């Protein structure tokens, strides 16, 4: 790749200057020539070409480069085992969604595989197991929401025993891991039954901002972008010989879908109706919710073959 601007009159860059810049690109690219791992060599050489092309295209100033280093340093300092600023950065730049797009190409057999979306930083291992119809809330505040559906493959065959991990924020917009008291709430896992069916009680999702008290938040503010995510409920579904699905469902009618999701995660196929049920409406499992209104939604999950 040689993205060097060539028209001296338009750019003010002389052919000599352009040659100096291109020579440096070529030298750095060649420095990776002996990388034993071919894939690593490809990644490093391509990264070098794109990075230099960016610097040359925008005529990056030294002050700007120093600011970028300061930004990355701040991202490193705020990152720990609970807070991952680099994932946030990848998300708000759309890099997470682009990587997902590249690695989860649309697949359809008799049925179309459910689309994937961004993983986010709030999944944790070892969430409690709940039975069919169990409750993931664990004390998290929010409107109860009955979630049900099936897990099938793209031939339409039910998938029994699929492991379904679900996690979500409470109606204050926080995941359990954002509290300091060690609570486990708003997350669980369950398994699809012999017919591929699953059901659980969750919370009706509400919009919340991604953590924006760090460098990524400051960057969003500087460019006039909102940190708010469209309301969603996370799923990760794994089953033998099928492609693992990481996705969310979004709430039809949530104005944040139109305004824009801060991490570009919304896909039309993942927007689901969450039907509001007035207080007193009988629940699917006979649970007594007293004078509380509740909601219900359906999400049928279709898993692609493992190597599709
Ligand atoms: C989330 O949905 O949990 C999330 C995704 C990306 C960045 C921050 C949070
Ligand atoms: Fe989330």
């Amino acid at each position: 790749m040689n993205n060097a601007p060539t028209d001296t009159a338009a750019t003010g860059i002389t052919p000599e200057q352009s040659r100096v810049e291109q020579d440096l690109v070529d030298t750095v690219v060649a420095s990776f020539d002996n990388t034993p791992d071919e894939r690593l060599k490809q990644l490093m050489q391509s990264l070098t070409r794109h990075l230099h092309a960016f610097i040359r295209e925008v005529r990056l100033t030294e002050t700007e480069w120093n600011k970028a280093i300061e930004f990355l340093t701040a991202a490193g300092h705020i990152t720990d085992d609970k807070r991952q600023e680099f994932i946030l950065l990848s998300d708000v730049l759309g890099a997470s969604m682009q990587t997902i797009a590249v690695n989860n190409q649309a697949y359809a057999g008799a049925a179309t595989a459910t689309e994937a979306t961004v993983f986010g930083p709030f999944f944790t291992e070892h969430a409690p197991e709940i039975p069919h119809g169990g409750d993931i809330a664990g004390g998290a505040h929010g409107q109860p929401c009955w979630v049900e559906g099936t897990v099938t493959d793209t031939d339409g065959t039910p998938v029994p025993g699929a492991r379904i991990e679900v996690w979500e924020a409470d109606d204050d917009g926080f995941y359990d891991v954002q509290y300091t008291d060690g609570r486990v709430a708003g997350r669980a896992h369950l398994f699809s039954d012999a017919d591929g069916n699953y059901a659980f009680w969750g919370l009706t999702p509400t919009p919340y901002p991604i953590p924006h008290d760090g460098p990524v938040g400051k960057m969003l503010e500087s460019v006039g972008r909102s940190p708010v995510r469209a309301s969603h409920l996370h799923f990760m579904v794994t089953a033998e010989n099928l492609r693992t699905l990481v996705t969310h469902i979004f709430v039809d009618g949530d104005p944040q879908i139109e305004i824009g999701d801060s991490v570009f995660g919304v896909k039309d196929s993942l927007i689901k109706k969450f039907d509001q049920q007035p207080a007193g409406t009988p629940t699917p499992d006979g649970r007594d919710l007293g004078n509380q209104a509740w909601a219900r939604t359906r999400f049928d999950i279709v898993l692609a073959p493992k190597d599709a």
Side-chain angles (χ1 to χ4, degrees):
M1 179 179 26
N2 181 350
N3 285 350
T6 49
D7 181 349
T8 304
T11 63
I13 301 162
T14 62
E16 293 73 28
Q17 172 65 18
S18 189
R19 204 168 314 112
V20 168
E21 294 173 9
Q22 188 58 44
D23 280 352
L24 179 58
V25 179
D26 295 343
T27 303
V28 181
V29 167
S31 77
F32 294 109
D33 276 351
N34 296 328
T35 307
D37 181 328
E38 274 304 313
R39 176 67 174 160
L40 180 59
K41 175 175 158 183
Q42 181 193 15
L43 294 175
M44 294 314 298
Q45 292 188 325
S46 178
L47 176 64
T48 301
R49 289 191 195 96
H50 285 274
L51 178 61
H52 284 249
F54 164 73
I55 294 169
R56 297 172 77 191
E57 181 189 314
V58 302
R59 309 309 298 169
L60 194 71
T61 68
E62 286 164 291
T63 307
E64 288 163 343
W65 184 237
N66 285 334
K67 276 203 168 171
I69 304 269
E70 277 167 25
F71 174 86
L72 292 173
T73 305
H77 283 155
I78 204 171
T79 294
D80 59 21
D81 57 350
K82 290 231 163 70
R83 171 72 178 261
Q84 231 304 355
E85 198 73 359
F86 292 99
I87 293 183
L88 292 185
L89 180 59
S90 161
D91 293 341
V92 301
L93 292 177
S96 304
M97 282 306 288
Q98 193 66 274
T99 307
I100 288 163
V102 166
N103 288 281
N104 295 267
Q105 290 183 40
Y107 183 87
T112 303
T114 303
E115 291 189 279
T117 189
V118 66
F119 194 43
F122 296 124
F123 172 75
T124 61
E125 305 277 354
H126 313 303
E129 181 175 345
I130 54 166
H132 185 93
D135 192 343
I136 77 164
H141 290 158
Q143 183 190 58
C145 180
W146 177 257
V147 184
E148 65 188 343
T150 56
V151 184
T152 60
D153 64 18
T154 47
D155 294 331
T157 308
V159 179
R163 183 181 175 114
I164 304 168
E165 299 271 359
V166 286
W167 66 105
E168 64 178 321
D170 63 19
D171 66 1
D172 287 322
F174 295 110
Y175 287 81
D176 53 1
V177 290
Q178 294 177 282
Y179 293 96
T180 52
D181 56 9
R183 72 185 72 176
V184 176
R187 68 178 71 240
H189 73 273
L190 68 161
F191 294 90
S192 55
D193 70 12
D195 300 315
N197 297 316
Y198 74 90
F200 62 90
W201 282 100
L203 304 173
T204 307
T206 47
Y208 69 87
I210 65 168
H212 57 110
D213 55 342
V216 168
K218 272 201 204 116
M219 185 273 280
L220 290 178
E221 200 183 331
S222 309
V223 299
R225 272 177 54 185
S226 160
V228 177
R229 291 221 57 201
S231 315
H232 61 273
L233 167 61
H234 292 261
F235 282 75
M236 177 163 67
V237 187
T238 46
E240 224 175 305
N241 297 325
L242 296 166
R243 188 201 274 170
T244 293
L245 173 69
V246 174
T247 196
H248 326 328
I249 51 174
F250 296 91
V251 179
D252 192 20
D254 174 7
Q256 198 62 38
I257 292 177
E258 284 304 312
I259 297 167
D261 179 44
S262 55
V263 302
F264 311 101
V266 179
K267 293 183 170 176
D268 287 351
S269 68
L270 300 176
I271 301 172
K272 303 293 172 192
K273 288 213 170 337
F274 281 68
D275 293 317
Q276 283 295 321
Q277 312 291 317
T281 310
T283 54
D285 60 348
R287 180 179 180 180
D288 181 3
L289 289 170
N291 60 0
Q292 211 176 2
W294 54 284
R296 66 184 303 161
T297 191
R298 180 166 191 94
F299 179 36
D300 292 324
I301 297 165
V302 181
L303 299 179
K306 193 163 217 131
D307 299 318

